[in-house]
Amino acid sequence: MSNAKSSTCSIGINGPAVRALRMSKGVGATAFAERLACHRSYLGGIEIGSYRRVSPQMFSKIVAALALEDDRAIRLHPFGMAESAQ
């Protein structure tokens, strides 16, 4: 059995969508980072796309903090990955 982490240990996230939703709710980055219990610079990295994957726990915190009914709004690939053209 391999000890390598699988891609199921993290979730692809659309950082610019997180930022747009946060801003549409009138929440500042520092306040939002506090709600998520993370550092402001980590949130900034997510929002600009430096961190394209987050832990399931962080993803759940972001979904809850944004009060999203459908988490596909911030998933990196909300409908799955498209097959490559042949």
Side-chain angles (χ1 to χ4, degrees):
M1 186 184 289
S2 172
N3 286 333
K5 290 184 179 181
S6 71
S7 63
T8 59
C9 293
S10 63
I11 299 173
I13 191 162
N14 182 336
V18 171
R19 182 174 193 261
L21 288 164
R22 172 184 60 76
M23 292 178 70
S24 75
K25 294 179 181 293
V27 180
T30 301
F32 195 65
E34 288 173 0
R35 287 185 194 176
L36 301 177
C38 73
H39 197 276
R40 166 66 184 88
S41 63
Y42 179 62
L43 174 61
I46 292 170
E47 291 186 344
I48 65 169
S50 294
Y51 304 116
R52 297 182 72 186
R53 301 192 71 78
V54 296
S55 70
Q57 295 84 2
M58 179 55 69
F59 189 82
S60 293
K61 286 180 181 182
I62 293 170
V63 169
L66 292 172
L68 298 176
E69 292 182 19
D70 187 349
D71 68 14
R72 289 179 295 180
I74 62 168
R75 282 191 181 264
L76 187 57
H77 301 288
F79 302 105
M81 303 264 315
E83 293 184 29
S84 60
Q86 295 186 16

